[in-house]
Amino acid sequence: MRTAAVLLLSVVPGVLAWWWGRRLAALADDAALPERLAAYRSRLGRVTITLLVLATVVAHEHVVWGAPLALATVLAGGFPARKALLREEWGLFAYLSHVVRLALATAGFWMLLAAAPALVHAAGTFRWPVVVLLAALLLAWNAAYPRVFLALVHARPLDRPDLHTCLTAVIERARTAAPRLYRAGTSGGRWANAFAFPTTGTPSVLFTNTLLDLFAPDELAAVFAHEVAHLEHYDRRRLFRWTVVNWVAIALGLLVVPLLMVRFEGWAGVLGWTWALLVVLFLVLKLASHKAHEAESDRRAVVLCGDPEALARALVKLHVLARLPRRLEIDLERAASHPSLAHRIQAIRAGVSAPPGLPVVLSSSTLGALVILDADRVHRLEGVPPDAPADPATLRDRAAVVQSIAYPELVDLRVRAPLAGEVLLVATDRAGRSWSVPLRPESVAAAQAALDAVDARLGRSPAGLLHHPAVPVMVASAIVIVSIASGNLGVAVPLGLLALFRPAPVPLAATGITAIAGVLLALRDPIAGVFTPALHSGALATLAGLGGVIVWLALARRRTEGEPHGVATGLTLAVLGIAAIPAWSALLWVAMSGAGGLRLHQAARAAPSATVALLGLAGALLLVPRRPARWAAAIAAILAVVPLGLGAGWFHDRFGYDPLATAGPALRWSGGSLRVVGQARGVGATGLRLSPSGREYAVRSLPRPEGRRWLASFLIGRFDGGHREIEAYDLAFLGDGKVLALAYPGPGPEPELRVAALDDLADSGWHRTLPRFAVQALSADPATGAWRVSGWGSPDDALVVISGHVGRDAVATTAWRHPGRSESRGVVVPGTGVA
């Protein structure tokens, strides 16, 4: 059932890609097609990630094949629309082969590095041979990255005599050695790009066949100049620095993280996912830092080729061929590896006056609304009479409301188009305030042309790590991964997913607060055997730190609240309300039913959402800039404290009686006292066993997976010393320093009894293999050495008891046919034959 669910969740993204792609294929001539394609990719990516997270919750062990299947179905489902919109002629198999080879060429090293700790940990006893093999592979891949890339994309030397003169002219002005030139591409497909491969030896530059076939020689020379600028930038010093960084990353992934996974076995999955997330975050930040170098390379390319307009034409052609929008959303551009085309042309044409064709009047689908783009500023008009002349000056005079903003005060002015529907002109100023105007279909093409004219006059948005969208997205992702891996599928998971897709202040703050509150409540009621005190501290420090970063980012981004964040705020409040209402309804029902203090105390501890959701709601409302929201936040915070008080120990001690349990005159309570004679710390387990003297203990650990079976074990130790682990399903003391353990030593179903000494648990003085049956419990008499194992046998589902004496091979077996339901727990009265 779980396998089928993962299979369904992996196939759904491909079906959606095909269905939404059919709608796009019908819009091939739409002026807003690049923006609609960007919206399609964004929506499809979010849906795919969400479904993969759900698949992880359903059956995380199947995500290993579910994630590649989802990506394959997305590529296959979107292929018909891609083929129609890009006018390609290749088949699906050739396209998938190209995508896989290109993904391995560009990111294969990093994918292997991200998976390295999990691969080492899964190797078990062959851990060190796998470490050596992966280290050799990663080090070789890092040293020969250009050759691996060229081999994977089937590159061959470039032979174009007609380009010799223009390319040689670029090299003569450059500060680097002449690179080797290559070409690559797949017949029938469209792949327009160029790559530079700096090395300490002879560098290389790769052109794709699409670029060579469709670009003029001067445009190819401009692209080549841009790649040569990359080669100049990455000199020996920078290359050595990045090599050292990669070596350190390889050492961390192959040694440090796997050792931590062995030391903290219960959190091995979390550590593996966290490492993969850190690798992705490193790549995102590396690409973002590379973006500034792209602008520098554009300016250097103008010097090397001497023709800024050729470079501008080449960049425009690249975007037209790939159907990419000229202008990107601010957050998307901050996370991208390249600046938007508008900003690149702005840098190339710095100081050049805007092209003619302004002012332009854009009509809106809203009655009486217009937008005017002139040479210096944008004007938003409302209340324009229908009979007003089309002259810009007259329109501004007759409008009821006029808002004028100079271009340098705007950081974003672009066309935004959904997958299907109305097209908007969106503007955002330096303070983060946004407004939008719906455009009529006939005005979209004019808006795109006018924006091309004013792009170079816009201001630039704030930069820096704090404003990088990858930081809150990665932090939200970390909380989701840690929550899923630890089994805490509470409010933090849906809020983390919301913050992942809409990194606005309100969902970010709510995610951080609920994560911190959830961990604190988990520390109050730890699950035996899952968390140890050391892992408690680590989980608390990790999630509290992540939550603190999210709150910090949310407060820092508070001024950027605009039109898109209203939906995020509403969804955040809805998620928190849906989580809080059932929990509080249960508390109120228990309180009004008069069930007693004990039941109320238990209900408060069993409903953590009553506290967590309200605390998140209070934090979210604090960021809503309205006075009623502040009062609602205060009320939510006060109500969140109530379940904490009801679930506290002092409430249980004072009011925690159960009238149903105490009914009747025969039951009386009396006070007592305890004296601690031995104490062991740092042992997270259950099922206490004591030696006859009380100086030694054994506690059962929760089963954990090991290969294809679940490993059951006990921790045995002395109160005045440490403890050791022994594999056992059940255990009984035969005396001080000696135990009788019941285990499944191999993959077979036959249990085995064996005697072990506390000082040497591997030394078995006696062992006995038992017949196959479902074991329930082991008991032993230290005085006589008699032992008894009870359980259920087949085929009659009878209660089976096998008994004997330590040191003797003879055993006695008794079976009772259960008169009622099977699989119950049976108790045998010693010496009576009664069960």
Side-chain angles (χ1 to χ4, degrees):
M1 184 65 182
R2 293 167 48 182
T3 303
V6 174
L7 181 63
L8 177 63
L9 293 172
S10 302
V11 172
V12 167
V15 176
L16 294 177
W18 170 77
W19 181 256
W20 293 336
R22 291 177 67 248
R23 300 166 63 182
L24 279 176
L27 302 173
D29 299 326
D30 192 342
L33 177 61
E35 286 75 16
R36 296 192 191 277
L37 270 172
Y40 161 77
R41 296 185 185 109
S42 176
R43 181 192 293 186
L44 188 59
R46 294 175 178 181
V47 169
T48 303
I49 293 175
T50 302
L51 293 178
L52 286 179
V53 170
L54 291 177
T56 305
V57 174
V58 172
H60 63 85
E61 67 274 11
H62 296 315
V63 177
V64 177
W65 58 264
L69 177 62
L71 296 178
T73 57
V74 166
L75 293 173
F79 177 70
R82 172 193 169 94
K83 188 174 180 179
L85 294 175
L86 300 185
R87 297 180 176 87
E88 295 177 327
E89 298 177 355
W90 56 359
L92 176 60
F93 179 78
Y95 167 64
L96 293 177
S97 173
H98 167 74
V99 171
V100 171
R101 287 186 288 107
L102 185 59
L104 289 175
T106 54
F109 171 84
W110 299 104
M111 289 189 291
L112 183 59
L113 180 61
L119 295 175
V120 172
H121 186 72
T125 56
F126 299 97
R127 185 175 294 115
W128 288 111
V130 172
V131 168
V132 173
L133 178 63
L134 290 177
L137 181 58
L138 288 171
L139 290 173
W141 200 333
N142 179 63
Y145 178 79
R147 282 179 286 176
V148 174
F149 189 105
L150 295 172
L152 286 172
V153 299
H154 300 164
R156 60 187 187 276
L158 175 64
D159 185 14
R160 285 281 298 268
D162 58 312
L163 299 177
H164 177 75
T165 302
C166 59
L167 299 185
T168 302
V170 172
I171 289 297
E172 290 175 349
R173 302 186 184 100
R175 300 187 298 267
T176 185
R180 295 190 181 97
L181 302 180
Y182 295 90
R183 67 182 302 165
T186 304
S187 177
R190 180 175 291 183
W191 179 30
N193 212 332
F195 302 89
F197 301 102
T199 63
T200 55
T202 303
S204 307
V205 172
L206 172 68
F207 294 93
T208 63
N209 291 336
T210 304
L211 212 67
L212 294 170
D213 295 340
L214 300 180
F215 279 42
D218 60 337
E219 296 166 350
L220 288 172
V223 173
F224 179 67
H226 177 87
E227 303 306 324
V228 169
H230 286 316
L231 298 179
E232 290 181 342
H233 177 76
Y234 288 100
D235 53 15
R236 287 180 176 271
R237 180 176 58 85
R238 283 192 173 90
L239 289 176
F240 177 74
R241 185 173 62 192
W242 280 116
T243 300
V244 172
V245 170
N246 291 346
W247 287 348
V248 172
I250 292 172
L252 291 174
L254 293 179
L255 296 177
V256 177
V257 178
L259 289 176
L260 290 176
M261 295 170 73
V262 173
R263 174 65 179 84
F264 303 104
E265 180 71 26
W267 281 70
V270 175
L271 291 171
W273 281 106
T274 302
W275 169 253
L277 194 68
L278 289 175
V279 172
V280 174
L281 178 60
F282 172 77
L283 282 180
V284 170
L285 297 180
K286 181 181 179 180
L287 291 176
S289 65
H290 179 74
K291 180 172 55 183
H293 171 54
E294 287 291 335
E296 296 174 2
S297 297
D298 285 338
R299 290 190 291 269
R300 177 60 178 164
V302 171
V303 176
L304 292 175
C305 70
D307 190 350
E309 287 305 314
L311 180 59
R313 288 197 310 273
L315 294 176
V316 171
K317 275 190 176 181
L318 282 171
H319 281 68
V320 171
L321 289 172
R323 300 290 192 267
L324 296 175
R326 295 174 64 113
R327 286 155 288 274
L328 298 176
E329 187 179 351
I330 294 177
D331 283 348
L332 182 60
E333 184 172 1
R334 286 176 184 148
S337 61
H338 289 64
S340 66
L341 175 62
H343 283 140
R344 297 184 73 174
I345 295 180
Q346 177 183 358
I348 294 171
R349 293 173 173 168
V352 180
S353 59
L358 300 177
V360 171
V361 179
L362 304 176
S363 58
S364 171
S365 58
T366 301
L367 184 64
L370 292 171
V371 175
I372 300 175
L373 301 176
D374 63 21
D376 299 318
R377 58 186 61 233
V378 57
H379 309 274
R380 183 171 64 143
L381 283 60
E382 296 179 1
V384 179
D387 58 347
D391 176 65
T394 305
L395 290 172
R396 290 197 297 269
D397 291 339
R398 298 192 61 180
V401 177
V402 178
Q403 181 184 7
S404 299
I405 306 176
Y407 292 127
E409 294 301 316
L410 292 176
V411 296
D412 189 22
L413 184 62
R414 60 186 172 86
V415 167
R416 187 172 72 197
L419 188 58
E422 204 167 39
V423 179
L424 302 176
L425 180 70
V426 180
T428 305
D429 61 17
R430 292 181 180 274
R433 295 182 294 266
S434 298
W435 54 264
S436 61
V437 176
L439 298 177
R440 289 183 178 177
E442 59 270 18
S443 297
V444 176
Q448 298 279 35
L451 291 176
D452 291 344
V454 304
D455 279 335
R457 298 176 176 267
L458 297 181
R460 302 305 295 266
S461 59
L465 180 63
L466 179 63
H467 297 278
H468 197 288
V471 175
V473 168
M474 289 297 174
V475 172
S477 302
I479 284 190
V480 172
I481 290 174
V482 171
S483 300
I484 292 175
S486 61
N488 181 23
L489 305 178
V491 187
V493 172
L495 285 179
L497 291 174
L498 178 60
L500 180 66
F501 297 137
R502 290 183 175 271
V506 172
L508 286 169
T511 303
I513 292 172
T514 53
I516 295 172
V519 170
L520 292 176
L521 288 181
L523 293 180
R524 182 191 68 175
D525 294 319
I527 301 176
V530 176
F531 297 110
T532 65
L535 292 178
H536 274 152
S537 303
L540 177 61
T542 301
L543 287 190
L546 293 175
V549 170
I550 287 182
V551 176
W552 170 57
L553 286 171
L555 295 176
R557 290 166 57 97
R558 187 173 176 180
R559 293 186 61 193
T560 67
E561 282 195 67
E563 179 268 334
H565 296 155
V567 177
T569 301
L571 290 175
T572 302
L573 299 180
V575 170
L576 293 169
I578 291 173
I581 290 175
W584 263 92
S585 300
L587 279 179
L588 292 176
W589 181 84
V590 172
M592 296 176 64
S593 65
L598 180 60
R599 298 296 177 86
L600 192 58
H601 173 79
Q602 293 171 338
R605 297 179 77 88
S609 295
T611 294
V612 173
L614 284 183
L615 287 177
L617 188 64
L621 291 172
L622 282 176
L623 294 181
V624 178
R626 292 189 179 92
R627 185 178 296 272
R630 307 293 173 82
W631 284 105
I635 295 174
I638 293 173
L639 290 177
V641 179
V642 174
L644 290 178
L646 297 177
W650 66 267
F651 182 86
H652 175 272
D653 295 340
R654 180 167 297 184
F655 305 104
Y657 63 90
D658 190 347
L660 298 179
T662 57
L667 185 61
R668 294 290 183 268
W669 292 93
S670 61
S673 62
L674 291 174
R675 182 172 61 89
V676 178
V677 297
Q679 194 171 39
R681 297 184 181 275
V683 180
T686 185
L688 176 64
R689 312 282 192 273
L690 289 177
S691 67
S693 67
R695 292 192 297 266
E696 298 166 354
Y697 66 88
V699 285
R700 186 198 308 270
S701 298
L702 287 188
R704 62 179 185 272
E706 183 178 271
R708 296 186 176 181
R709 66 190 184 109
W710 287 84
L711 180 65
S713 62
F714 273 77
L715 298 176
I716 308 176
R718 297 184 176 90
F719 285 111
D720 57 354
H723 59 267
R724 306 172 69 181
E725 186 176 26
I726 180 174
E727 182 179 345
Y729 179 84
D730 203 351
L731 181 143
F733 274 96
L734 291 175
D736 288 345
K738 183 184 294 187
V739 295
L740 180 64
L742 176 67
Y744 292 86
E750 291 82 9
E752 180 185 81
L753 278 174
R754 66 187 180 93
V755 176
L758 183 60
D759 295 330
D760 186 5
L761 296 179
D763 180 18
S764 177
W766 175 84
H767 66 88
R768 179 73 165 83
T769 301
L770 303 180
R772 183 177 64 179
F773 72 114
V775 173
Q776 279 193 341
L778 164 69
S779 61
D781 185 353
T784 63
W787 54 265
R788 180 182 293 105
V789 178
S790 62
W792 294 93
S794 58
D796 298 326
D797 289 331
L799 172 60
V800 178
V801 174
I802 303 177
S803 59
H805 286 77
V806 174
R808 304 177 190 174
D809 292 335
V811 298
T813 302
T814 308
W816 290 268
R817 175 63 182 168
H818 197 286
R821 288 186 342 187
S822 62
E823 296 299 329
S824 300
R825 182 171 294 276
V827 178
V828 178
V829 181
T832 65
V834 177

